[in-house]
Amino acid sequence: MSNSPAVLHHADTPEALRACYAVMKQLRPHLQSEAEFLGRVARQVAEGYRLLAEWQDDQPVALAGYRLQENLVYGKFLYVDDLVTTEAARGSQCGARLLDALSDIAAQSGCVRLTLDTGLANALAQRFYFRQGLLTSSIRFGKSITPIQ
């Protein structure tokens, strides 16, 4: 990592989003191409998704994709879709800074909760989330659906 200060800002331009693809690919290896990533993000942005990034030397080193939602269980809340730090930046508190920033965004948006999902087998992520003050509160169930086209 460089000695220049890290900067947090949203990836709101096509150029910034393109710069984020390689980082997101580390978390979402099933993404086949930059074009697929940009298309998915564009559809999600239409539903309120935003991508907050920590930038070092004008390159993203950590990402947090999120959206503001409301439901009958929580009321208004911030849902974290994606949280990833590059291999090279792990251990430098990027993820903690992003979660702190998301907590601030949630509070300023009138949210009563920040929530995210992680795999049951992802013990390293779970340990990180516990250290950041997040607690388990539910188990999410799901099943695969074959779309009818």
Side-chain angles (χ1 to χ4, degrees):
M1 294 263 315
S2 162
N3 290 330
S4 63
V7 177
L8 293 180
H9 66 80
H10 287 93
D12 286 336
T13 66
E15 297 78 23
L17 288 170
R18 277 195 291 280
C20 292
Y21 170 66
V23 179
M24 188 63 77
K25 180 107 170 128
Q26 291 182 33
L27 178 66
R28 309 286 183 221
H30 59 274
L31 293 171
Q32 296 297 309
S33 68
E34 183 180 282
E36 178 188 4
F37 168 69
L38 294 173
R40 284 184 179 213
V41 168
R43 288 187 297 278
Q44 289 177 213
V45 164
E47 298 174 354
Y49 179 86
R50 295 200 70 195
L51 190 58
L52 182 63
E54 180 164 314
W55 302 81
Q56 189 83 43
D57 297 326
D58 295 322
Q59 291 298 312
V61 296
L63 306 173
Y66 70 94
R67 61 187 86 213
L68 301 175
Q69 297 184 324
E70 186 170 356
N71 65 21
L72 296 174
V73 175
Y74 302 128
K76 193 169 182 182
F77 67 102
L78 186 147
Y79 181 78
V80 182
D81 290 79
D82 315 291
L83 185 63
V84 60
T85 301
T86 62
E87 288 274 343
R90 292 206 180 120
S92 62
Q93 301 300 308
C94 298
R97 283 189 292 275
L98 284 170
L99 280 177
D100 287 345
L102 293 179
S103 294
D104 290 344
I105 291 168
Q108 291 168 10
S109 300
C111 294
V112 297
R113 184 172 192 81
L114 180 146
T115 189
L116 58 79
D117 295 325
T118 192
L120 291 173
N122 195 345
L124 290 176
Q126 292 167 28
R127 196 169 72 205
F128 168 73
Y129 297 138
F130 283 127
R131 282 195 318 265
Q132 300 311 309
L134 282 79
L135 301 174
T136 54
S137 61
S138 63
I139 296 176
R140 177 172 279 184
F141 291 92
K143 69 177 186 176
S144 296
I145 303 291
T146 303
I148 300 172
Q149 305 201 336

